[in-house]
Amino acid sequence: MKRILAFVLLAALLLPASGMAETKYMTMREVHDEVASQYPDGWQETIQTKWRAVEINTPVIVPDADKCPVLALQVIEDHPDIDALPGEGWQDETTAAGWVYASRLTTETAPSTKNSEIDSHHFYAPVDLDMVWDGYGGKTLGELLLEGGDSLEAACGGKYSWDMEHPFDVMFNTRTRGKETWTTGLSVSAYQTFCGIPYIHSISDYLTYDINRQNISDPGVLYQIGPFGSVSFVYHPVQSEVMEEDIPLRSFEAIKDALRKEIDAGHIRNILEIRFGYTSANRSKDASDSASVTRPVWHVEAWWCNKGVSEMKQDDPKYPTNSRGKREFVRMIFDAQTGKLISMASDFLPAQKRIKDIGYFQGYLTWEDAKK
């Protein structure tokens, strides 16, 4: 069955009879190589708007993959192979809700936390994998993540994979008592990958309103390592089935153009991260069908204001925020096949106009369609 969206996209994107320039499409490999060669240090530019100069110094993370398939995803029941994990004392605590959870308790005596204050230190993409944190025997973060990835692969028998090289949130917790400070734990959040491409969020996470049930919300992994021997991880086991081997994509330049329009309009004040990946929507409206279908997108994290004349809210000195904690922080997604903004979400954005059936699979543009 030809996909409904293909006809919509053809009408909007392909060469019209009037002789407009033909839309150029690229493979996943070409998009990766484009960004790697032209933006090795990310997108760096100063853009002067009528209100202010906007400094762009943004990492652009693109998976090292050859193709971008369309996949049907489904959460399945599974358990970790704790016998394959390094060390002793592992417990399988997988939940009835389908979350795979395994942990190993502390093997060394940790300092008392009495009269100490806790502090959290967040690091976002691109994370410095060469950083060394007290409490881990001089190992770099990259070495710790490599060990974590090996453990996850052993636990799941290689059935699933996660992008441990590009974690989206790394957090070290510390305790301080007087002049003494020590590390209490490391938490790493990374996206699950399918055919080398990360699944970032379901479509509902980019909307300011509630929609129908979402079959797959967040299949990423949370991996925690304590400096005193404790280790734990939790993830949703998700399997994939190929519906289309490969689909055409727009150049990263199309996404830049769309973002520049938001900057020129006075909305975007800073872009924190641009990452290629998948979102998904439910395969059908049939409640018995628990599968979701992937949609390639560019995930953008930015500071966004409604009006160009508006100034960013200042942090309360008593409660400073990190870059993702600003009131103006938003998550945006752009369709990787059209280059157009789909939606954006934030706790403080006004409700957007509802997009009909946005929570359900609506098709895709094929290579055959693009070449017509």
Side-chain angles (χ1 to χ4, degrees), residues 203 207 211-214 280-283 355-362:
I203 194 71
L207 305 174
I211 57 174
N212 55 285
R213 78 192 194 288
Q214 290 294 280
S280 74
N282 291 348
R283 183 164 59 184
I355 305 172
K356 181 176 175 58
D357 289 336
I358 186 66
Y360 298 104
F361 170 59
Q362 297 181 31

Side-chain angles (χ1 to χ4, degrees), residues 24-42 60 62-63 65 249-257 276 298 336:
K24 181 181 179 181
Y25 293 99
M26 306 176 77
T27 65
M28 183 76 259
R29 172 54 55 196
E30 290 171 333
V31 173
H32 171 273
D33 292 350
E34 170 198 33
V35 172
S37 62
Q38 298 183 31
Y39 304 94
D41 299 315
V60 183
V62 183
L249 306 169
R250 291 297 305 276
S251 163
F252 173 64
E253 296 302 319
I255 308 305
K256 270 187 62 180
D257 290 344
F276 185 100
W298 289 89

Side-chain angles (χ1 to χ4, degrees), residues 162-195:
W162 296 268
D163 189 1
M164 299 296 280
E165 293 184 2
H166 303 96
F168 62 88
D169 187 1
V170 170
M171 180 179 68
F172 285 98
N173 282 330
T174 59
R175 286 272 183 179
T176 299
R177 181 169 47 227
K179 296 182 179 181
E180 180 186 15
T181 298
W182 66 96
T183 304
T184 58
L186 162 63
S187 296
V188 177
S189 297
Y191 298 122
Q192 187 171 349
T193 60
F194 300 92
C195 302

Side-chain angles (χ1 to χ4, degrees), residues 298-341:
W298 289 89
H299 165 92
V300 177
E301 297 181 354
W303 295 347
W304 192 95
C305 295
N306 189 41
K307 298 180 179 180
V309 297
S310 301
E311 296 297 333
M312 294 273 296
K313 296 285 191 301
Q314 296 297 314
D315 284 349
D316 184 333
K318 295 181 179 179
Y319 304 100
T321 61
N322 60 33
S323 61
R324 270 67 172 176
K326 301 287 188 184
R327 181 182 178 90
E328 295 85 359
F329 173 77
V330 297
R331 297 182 305 277
M332 312 172 74
I333 48 169
F334 294 80
D335 191 309
Q337 290 200 290
T338 69
K340 295 182 179 180
L341 175 65

Side-chain angles (χ1 to χ4, degrees), residues 49-52 264-267 269 305-311:
T49 72
K50 63 183 292 185
W51 301 277
R52 62 189 60 82
D264 290 339
H267 298 314
R269 307 301 172 80
C305 295
N306 189 41
K307 298 180 179 180
V309 297
S310 301
E311 296 297 333

Side-chain angles (χ1 to χ4, degrees), residues 103-125:
S103 66
R104 186 182 71 192
L105 299 179
T106 298
T107 57
E108 303 175 26
T109 303
S112 169
T113 59
K114 185 177 181 180
N115 298 326
S116 65
E117 296 183 359
I118 191 169
D119 196 9
S120 297
H121 312 265
H122 283 269
F123 301 92
Y124 301 100

